[in-house]
Amino acid sequence: MDQRLNLLRDAGVIDPDICEGMLRVVRLLDEKWQLPVYSEQGAMAITHMSNALMRSRRGESVAPLDADLLAEAAQSPHWQQIQEAHRHLLNDFDVSLHPDEEGYLLINLYGLWMAAQEAT
């Protein structure tokens, strides 16, 4: 995962501070929440989050996530924990996340949470 983030930084896709923050996010997801961040799904979530932060920094936006998909995920008994983790992960970034990006990040986190539940 470190290599992927460093490649994004070296290619100028993400800023150095975003890279450093995302390396901390990887460690938190792995160590604090025991989520399968070192997986294909984890790599996708980390790449998306780093790109979402950069798009937000540049003032770019994406179409919002389908509301039904987000509503379905919100029915999870883990939803409160997922939202808490999401807020905690964003704390260290000096970027205001565009609201339309938030749904995608929550769904990626939800996917990692569900994968962790299946593994136990």
Side-chain angles (χ1 to χ4, degrees), residues 42-79:
M44 180 184 73
I46 292 301
T47 301
H48 185 269
M49 184 175 178
S50 60
N51 285 320
L53 289 163
M54 284 304 299
R55 280 191 297 271
S56 294
R57 176 172 279 171
R58 293 188 299 258
E60 299 170 3
S61 62
V62 295
L65 182 71
D66 178 68
D68 291 339
L69 183 59
L70 197 55
E72 181 180 325
Q75 298 303 312
S76 166
H78 306 286
W79 191 245

mmCIF file of all heavy atoms in Angstrom, residues 42-79:
data_model
loop_
_atom_site.group_PDB
_atom_site.id
_atom_site.type_symbol
_atom_site.label_atom_id
_atom_site.label_comp_id
_atom_site.label_asym_id
_atom_site.label_seq_id
_atom_site.Cartn_x
_atom_site.Cartn_y
_atom_site.Cartn_z
ATOM 1 N N GLY A 42 -9.340 -2.991 -0.309
ATOM 2 C CA GLY A 42 -8.663 -1.969 0.488
ATOM 3 C C GLY A 42 -7.859 -1.020 -0.382
ATOM 4 O O GLY A 42 -7.885 0.194 -0.164
ATOM 5 N N ALA A 43 -7.159 -1.576 -1.365
ATOM 6 C CA ALA A 43 -6.380 -0.731 -2.278
ATOM 7 C C ALA A 43 -7.289 0.228 -3.033
ATOM 8 O O ALA A 43 -6.957 1.404 -3.214
ATOM 9 C CB ALA A 43 -5.588 -1.605 -3.239
ATOM 10 N N MET A 44 -8.442 -0.268 -3.455
ATOM 11 C CA MET A 44 -9.404 0.582 -4.157
ATOM 12 C C MET A 44 -9.897 1.693 -3.235
ATOM 13 O O MET A 44 -9.974 2.865 -3.632
ATOM 14 C CB MET A 44 -10.584 -0.251 -4.656
ATOM 15 C CG MET A 44 -11.624 0.570 -5.398
ATOM 16 S SD MET A 44 -13.053 -0.392 -5.882
ATOM 17 C CE MET A 44 -13.868 -0.604 -4.297
ATOM 18 N N ALA A 45 -10.220 1.357 -1.986
ATOM 19 C CA ALA A 45 -10.719 2.345 -1.037
ATOM 20 C C ALA A 45 -9.668 3.425 -0.754
ATOM 21 O O ALA A 45 -9.991 4.616 -0.713
ATOM 22 C CB ALA A 45 -11.147 1.665 0.264
ATOM 23 N N ILE A 46 -8.420 3.014 -0.580
ATOM 24 C CA ILE A 46 -7.342 3.958 -0.283
ATOM 25 C C ILE A 46 -7.069 4.853 -1.487
ATOM 26 O O ILE A 46 -6.905 6.073 -1.356
ATOM 27 C CB ILE A 46 -6.067 3.198 0.147
ATOM 28 C CG1 ILE A 46 -6.302 2.521 1.495
ATOM 29 C CG2 ILE A 46 -4.852 4.115 0.177
ATOM 30 C CD1 ILE A 46 -6.663 3.448 2.632
ATOM 31 N N THR A 47 -7.046 4.269 -2.671
ATOM 32 C CA THR A 47 -6.823 5.060 -3.882
ATOM 33 C C THR A 47 -7.960 6.057 -4.077
ATOM 34 O O THR A 47 -7.724 7.234 -4.377
ATOM 35 C CB THR A 47 -6.697 4.131 -5.108
ATOM 36 O OG1 THR A 47 -5.610 3.228 -4.890
ATOM 37 C CG2 THR A 47 -6.452 4.927 -6.375
ATOM 38 N N HIS A 48 -9.185 5.607 -3.875
ATOM 39 C CA HIS A 48 -10.322 6.509 -4.044
ATOM 40 C C HIS A 48 -10.286 7.635 -3.029
ATOM 41 O O HIS A 48 -10.528 8.803 -3.364
ATOM 42 C CB HIS A 48 -11.651 5.759 -3.948
ATOM 43 C CG HIS A 48 -12.802 6.651 -4.242
ATOM 44 N ND1 HIS A 48 -13.459 7.342 -3.255
ATOM 45 C CD2 HIS A 48 -13.371 7.027 -5.415
ATOM 46 C CE1 HIS A 48 -14.398 8.094 -3.818
ATOM 47 N NE2 HIS A 48 -14.370 7.919 -5.116
ATOM 48 N N MET A 49 -9.978 7.316 -1.780
ATOM 49 C CA MET A 49 -9.945 8.353 -0.748
ATOM 50 C C MET A 49 -8.879 9.396 -1.052
ATOM 51 O O MET A 49 -9.126 10.601 -0.940
ATOM 52 C CB MET A 49 -9.705 7.737 0.627
ATOM 53 C CG MET A 49 -9.757 8.741 1.752
ATOM 54 S SD MET A 49 -9.598 7.909 3.352
ATOM 55 C CE MET A 49 -9.634 9.331 4.451
ATOM 56 N N SER A 50 -7.699 8.963 -1.470
ATOM 57 C CA SER A 50 -6.631 9.920 -1.772
ATOM 58 C C SER A 50 -7.019 10.802 -2.959
ATOM 59 O O SER A 50 -6.803 12.018 -2.935
ATOM 60 C CB SER A 50 -5.301 9.209 -2.006
ATOM 61 O OG SER A 50 -5.382 8.312 -3.086
ATOM 62 N N ASN A 51 -7.634 10.207 -3.981
ATOM 63 C CA ASN A 51 -8.079 10.997 -5.131
ATOM 64 C C ASN A 51 -9.229 11.931 -4.760
ATOM 65 O O ASN A 51 -9.297 13.059 -5.250
ATOM 66 C CB ASN A 51 -8.480 10.083 -6.288
ATOM 67 C CG ASN A 51 -7.280 9.499 -6.976
ATOM 68 O OD1 ASN A 51 -6.276 10.158 -7.189
ATOM 69 N ND2 ASN A 51 -7.371 8.229 -7.348
ATOM 70 N N ALA A 52 -10.139 11.470 -3.898
ATOM 71 C CA ALA A 52 -11.257 12.311 -3.458
ATOM 72 C C ALA A 52 -10.743 13.533 -2.701
ATOM 73 O O ALA A 52 -11.249 14.650 -2.886
ATOM 74 C CB ALA A 52 -12.209 11.498 -2.578
ATOM 75 N N LEU A 53 -9.755 13.329 -1.861
ATOM 76 C CA LEU A 53 -9.174 14.453 -1.124
ATOM 77 C C LEU A 53 -8.526 15.454 -2.078
ATOM 78 O O LEU A 53 -8.679 16.672 -1.912
ATOM 79 C CB LEU A 53 -8.172 13.950 -0.088
ATOM 80 C CG LEU A 53 -8.795 13.234 1.110
ATOM 81 C CD1 LEU A 53 -7.754 12.426 1.866
ATOM 82 C CD2 LEU A 53 -9.491 14.227 2.033
ATOM 83 N N MET A 54 -7.838 14.953 -3.090
ATOM 84 C CA MET A 54 -7.212 15.848 -4.063
ATOM 85 C C MET A 54 -8.257 16.572 -4.905
ATOM 86 O O MET A 54 -8.116 17.770 -5.165
ATOM 87 C CB MET A 54 -6.238 15.076 -4.961
ATOM 88 C CG MET A 54 -4.932 14.742 -4.288
ATOM 89 S SD MET A 54 -4.042 16.183 -3.613
ATOM 90 C CE MET A 54 -3.774 17.141 -5.100
ATOM 91 N N ARG A 55 -9.293 15.873 -5.340
ATOM 92 C CA ARG A 55 -10.352 16.552 -6.107
ATOM 93 C C ARG A 55 -10.978 17.657 -5.261
ATOM 94 O O ARG A 55 -11.217 18.765 -5.753
ATOM 95 C CB ARG A 55 -11.435 15.557 -6.537
ATOM 96 C CG ARG A 55 -11.076 14.740 -7.751
ATOM 97 C CD ARG A 55 -12.277 13.969 -8.280
ATOM 98 N NE ARG A 55 -12.798 12.994 -7.336
ATOM 99 C CZ ARG A 55 -12.391 11.736 -7.233
ATOM 100 N NH1 ARG A 55 -11.435 11.276 -8.025
ATOM 101 N NH2 ARG A 55 -12.948 10.923 -6.342
ATOM 102 N N SER A 56 -11.225 17.359 -3.991
ATOM 103 C CA SER A 56 -11.812 18.359 -3.101
ATOM 104 C C SER A 56 -10.871 19.546 -2.933
ATOM 105 O O SER A 56 -11.309 20.701 -2.937
ATOM 106 C CB SER A 56 -12.134 17.740 -1.741
ATOM 107 O OG SER A 56 -13.151 16.765 -1.876
ATOM 108 N N ARG A 57 -9.599 19.282 -2.801
ATOM 109 C CA ARG A 57 -8.615 20.363 -2.655
ATOM 110 C C ARG A 57 -8.613 21.262 -3.895
ATOM 111 O O ARG A 57 -8.476 22.475 -3.784
ATOM 112 C CB ARG A 57 -7.227 19.764 -2.429
ATOM 113 C CG ARG A 57 -6.123 20.825 -2.364
ATOM 114 C CD ARG A 57 -4.814 20.252 -1.947
ATOM 115 N NE ARG A 57 -4.821 20.123 -0.483
ATOM 116 C CZ ARG A 57 -3.897 19.495 0.209
ATOM 117 N NH1 ARG A 57 -2.878 18.910 -0.421
ATOM 118 N NH2 ARG A 57 -3.963 19.418 1.524
ATOM 119 N N ARG A 58 -8.766 20.655 -5.051
ATOM 120 C CA ARG A 58 -8.760 21.419 -6.305
ATOM 121 C C ARG A 58 -10.119 22.041 -6.623
ATOM 122 O O ARG A 58 -10.268 22.726 -7.626
ATOM 123 C CB ARG A 58 -8.323 20.518 -7.463
ATOM 124 C CG ARG A 58 -6.875 20.073 -7.389
ATOM 125 C CD ARG A 58 -6.439 19.350 -8.638
ATOM 126 N NE ARG A 58 -7.205 18.146 -8.894
ATOM 127 C CZ ARG A 58 -6.806 16.904 -8.646
ATOM 128 N NH1 ARG A 58 -5.608 16.688 -8.145
ATOM 129 N NH2 ARG A 58 -7.574 15.881 -8.924
ATOM 130 N N GLY A 59 -11.121 21.766 -5.798
ATOM 131 C CA GLY A 59 -12.443 22.318 -6.035
ATOM 132 C C GLY A 59 -13.248 21.566 -7.077
ATOM 133 O O GLY A 59 -14.251 22.068 -7.575
ATOM 134 N N GLU A 60 -12.822 20.366 -7.410
ATOM 135 C CA GLU A 60 -13.542 19.544 -8.380
ATOM 136 C C GLU A 60 -14.617 18.747 -7.644
ATOM 137 O O GLU A 60 -14.538 18.532 -6.443
ATOM 138 C CB GLU A 60 -12.578 18.584 -9.075
ATOM 139 C CG GLU A 60 -11.476 19.296 -9.839
ATOM 140 C CD GLU A 60 -10.390 18.346 -10.326
ATOM 141 O OE1 GLU A 60 -10.510 17.113 -10.123
ATOM 142 O OE2 GLU A 60 -9.412 18.845 -10.891
ATOM 143 N N SER A 61 -15.613 18.317 -8.394
ATOM 144 C CA SER A 61 -16.668 17.527 -7.764
ATOM 145 C C SER A 61 -17.027 16.336 -8.648
ATOM 146 O O SER A 61 -16.678 16.290 -9.825
ATOM 147 C CB SER A 61 -17.908 18.384 -7.512
ATOM 148 O OG SER A 61 -18.433 18.862 -8.726
ATOM 149 N N VAL A 62 -17.708 15.401 -8.046
ATOM 150 C CA VAL A 62 -18.212 14.218 -8.742
ATOM 151 C C VAL A 62 -19.720 14.170 -8.527
ATOM 152 O O VAL A 62 -20.249 14.864 -7.657
ATOM 153 C CB VAL A 62 -17.562 12.915 -8.206
ATOM 154 C CG1 VAL A 62 -16.074 12.886 -8.484
ATOM 155 C CG2 VAL A 62 -17.838 12.741 -6.723
ATOM 156 N N ALA A 63 -20.375 13.343 -9.300
ATOM 157 C CA ALA A 63 -21.811 13.145 -9.086
ATOM 158 C C ALA A 63 -21.996 12.427 -7.751
ATOM 159 O O ALA A 63 -21.204 11.557 -7.395
ATOM 160 C CB ALA A 63 -22.403 12.320 -10.221
ATOM 161 N N PRO A 64 -23.025 12.781 -7.011
ATOM 162 C CA PRO A 64 -23.234 12.116 -5.719
ATOM 163 C C PRO A 64 -23.568 10.639 -5.888
ATOM 164 O O PRO A 64 -24.082 10.222 -6.932
ATOM 165 C CB PRO A 64 -24.405 12.879 -5.107
ATOM 166 C CG PRO A 64 -25.077 13.557 -6.234
ATOM 167 C CD PRO A 64 -24.042 13.776 -7.302
ATOM 168 N N LEU A 65 -23.261 9.881 -4.863
ATOM 169 C CA LEU A 65 -23.579 8.456 -4.822
ATOM 170 C C LEU A 65 -25.092 8.272 -4.825
ATOM 171 O O LEU A 65 -25.821 9.109 -4.265
ATOM 172 C CB LEU A 65 -22.982 7.846 -3.546
ATOM 173 C CG LEU A 65 -23.179 6.356 -3.345
ATOM 174 C CD1 LEU A 65 -22.316 5.571 -4.333
ATOM 175 C CD2 LEU A 65 -22.801 5.962 -1.926
ATOM 176 N N ASP A 66 -25.549 7.202 -5.420
ATOM 177 C CA ASP A 66 -26.965 6.878 -5.428
ATOM 178 C C ASP A 66 -27.477 6.829 -3.982
ATOM 179 O O ASP A 66 -26.940 6.093 -3.150
ATOM 180 C CB ASP A 66 -27.172 5.526 -6.115
ATOM 181 C CG ASP A 66 -28.615 5.109 -6.124
ATOM 182 O OD1 ASP A 66 -29.422 5.757 -6.815
ATOM 183 O OD2 ASP A 66 -28.939 4.133 -5.409
ATOM 184 N N ALA A 67 -28.487 7.603 -3.707
ATOM 185 C CA ALA A 67 -29.018 7.720 -2.342
ATOM 186 C C ALA A 67 -29.536 6.388 -1.812
ATOM 187 O O ALA A 67 -29.426 6.111 -0.615
ATOM 188 C CB ALA A 67 -30.116 8.778 -2.297
ATOM 189 N N ASP A 68 -30.090 5.548 -2.681
ATOM 190 C CA ASP A 68 -30.607 4.251 -2.239
ATOM 191 C C ASP A 68 -29.482 3.343 -1.751
ATOM 192 O O ASP A 68 -29.650 2.604 -0.779
ATOM 193 C CB ASP A 68 -31.379 3.558 -3.366
ATOM 194 C CG ASP A 68 -32.687 4.265 -3.686
ATOM 195 O OD1 ASP A 68 -33.197 5.010 -2.818
ATOM 196 O OD2 ASP A 68 -33.196 4.072 -4.807
ATOM 197 N N LEU A 69 -28.354 3.404 -2.423
ATOM 198 C CA LEU A 69 -27.211 2.589 -2.018
ATOM 199 C C LEU A 69 -26.714 3.014 -0.638
ATOM 200 O O LEU A 69 -26.461 2.171 0.232
ATOM 201 C CB LEU A 69 -26.093 2.703 -3.053
ATOM 202 C CG LEU A 69 -24.848 1.863 -2.835
ATOM 203 C CD1 LEU A 69 -25.176 0.378 -2.774
ATOM 204 C CD2 LEU A 69 -23.850 2.133 -3.939
ATOM 205 N N LEU A 70 -26.621 4.298 -0.439
ATOM 206 C CA LEU A 70 -26.173 4.808 0.857
ATOM 207 C C LEU A 70 -27.199 4.488 1.948
ATOM 208 O O LEU A 70 -26.833 4.098 3.057
ATOM 209 C CB LEU A 70 -25.929 6.315 0.773
ATOM 210 C CG LEU A 70 -25.105 6.927 1.887
ATOM 211 C CD1 LEU A 70 -23.753 6.258 2.048
ATOM 212 C CD2 LEU A 70 -24.919 8.419 1.628
ATOM 213 N N ALA A 71 -28.478 4.598 1.615
ATOM 214 C CA ALA A 71 -29.534 4.288 2.588
ATOM 215 C C ALA A 71 -29.491 2.816 2.982
ATOM 216 O O ALA A 71 -29.704 2.478 4.154
ATOM 217 C CB ALA A 71 -30.896 4.647 2.010
ATOM 218 N N GLU A 72 -29.187 1.956 2.023
ATOM 219 C CA GLU A 72 -29.082 0.525 2.329
ATOM 220 C C GLU A 72 -27.924 0.259 3.293
ATOM 221 O O GLU A 72 -28.068 -0.477 4.268
ATOM 222 C CB GLU A 72 -28.878 -0.269 1.032
ATOM 223 C CG GLU A 72 -28.790 -1.755 1.240
ATOM 224 C CD GLU A 72 -28.584 -2.505 -0.067
ATOM 225 O OE1 GLU A 72 -29.119 -2.073 -1.098
ATOM 226 O OE2 GLU A 72 -27.877 -3.534 -0.035
ATOM 227 N N ALA A 73 -26.791 0.888 3.036
ATOM 228 C CA ALA A 73 -25.630 0.718 3.917
ATOM 229 C C ALA A 73 -25.926 1.271 5.313
ATOM 230 O O ALA A 73 -25.470 0.713 6.317
ATOM 231 C CB ALA A 73 -24.413 1.412 3.322
ATOM 232 N N ALA A 74 -26.696 2.343 5.377
ATOM 233 C CA ALA A 74 -27.020 2.965 6.662
ATOM 234 C C ALA A 74 -27.868 2.061 7.548
ATOM 235 O O ALA A 74 -27.985 2.307 8.748
ATOM 236 C CB ALA A 74 -27.730 4.297 6.433
ATOM 237 N N GLN A 75 -28.424 1.006 6.984
ATOM 238 C CA GLN A 75 -29.208 0.049 7.765
ATOM 239 C C GLN A 75 -28.319 -0.924 8.542
ATOM 240 O O GLN A 75 -28.801 -1.662 9.395
ATOM 241 C CB GLN A 75 -30.149 -0.746 6.850
ATOM 242 C CG GLN A 75 -31.167 0.113 6.127
ATOM 243 C CD GLN A 75 -32.027 0.914 7.079
ATOM 244 O OE1 GLN A 75 -32.547 0.396 8.050
ATOM 245 N NE2 GLN A 75 -32.159 2.202 6.807
ATOM 246 N N SER A 76 -27.046 -0.914 8.257
ATOM 247 C CA SER A 76 -26.105 -1.813 8.920
ATOM 248 C C SER A 76 -26.035 -1.505 10.411
ATOM 249 O O SER A 76 -26.012 -0.336 10.816
ATOM 250 C CB SER A 76 -24.708 -1.649 8.319
ATOM 251 O OG SER A 76 -23.733 -2.265 9.140
ATOM 252 N N PRO A 77 -25.958 -2.540 11.239
ATOM 253 C CA PRO A 77 -25.786 -2.297 12.675
ATOM 254 C C PRO A 77 -24.432 -1.655 13.006
ATOM 255 O O PRO A 77 -24.227 -1.157 14.102
ATOM 256 C CB PRO A 77 -25.899 -3.697 13.298
ATOM 257 C CG PRO A 77 -25.647 -4.645 12.193
ATOM 258 C CD PRO A 77 -26.047 -3.959 10.922
ATOM 259 N N HIS A 78 -23.526 -1.635 12.024
ATOM 260 C CA HIS A 78 -22.192 -1.062 12.213
ATOM 261 C C HIS A 78 -22.108 0.375 11.718
ATOM 262 O O HIS A 78 -21.045 0.993 11.781
ATOM 263 C CB HIS A 78 -21.140 -1.904 11.483
ATOM 264 C CG HIS A 78 -21.175 -3.339 11.862
ATOM 265 N ND1 HIS A 78 -20.696 -3.802 13.069
ATOM 266 C CD2 HIS A 78 -21.657 -4.426 11.208
ATOM 267 C CE1 HIS A 78 -20.876 -5.111 13.132
ATOM 268 N NE2 HIS A 78 -21.462 -5.511 12.020
ATOM 269 N N TRP A 79 -23.229 0.915 11.197
ATOM 270 C CA TRP A 79 -23.195 2.216 10.530
ATOM 271 C C TRP A 79 -22.649 3.330 11.419
ATOM 272 O O TRP A 79 -21.861 4.162 10.971
ATOM 273 C CB TRP A 79 -24.574 2.580 9.995
ATOM 274 C CG TRP A 79 -24.540 3.766 9.091
ATOM 275 C CD1 TRP A 79 -25.123 4.979 9.308
ATOM 276 C CD2 TRP A 79 -23.879 3.865 7.824
ATOM 277 N NE1 TRP A 79 -24.878 5.815 8.256
ATOM 278 C CE2 TRP A 79 -24.112 5.163 7.331
ATOM 279 C CE3 TRP A 79 -23.113 2.995 7.069
ATOM 280 C CZ2 TRP A 79 -23.605 5.603 6.108
ATOM 281 C CZ3 TRP A 79 -22.607 3.421 5.851
ATOM 282 C CH2 TRP A 79 -22.856 4.712 5.388
#
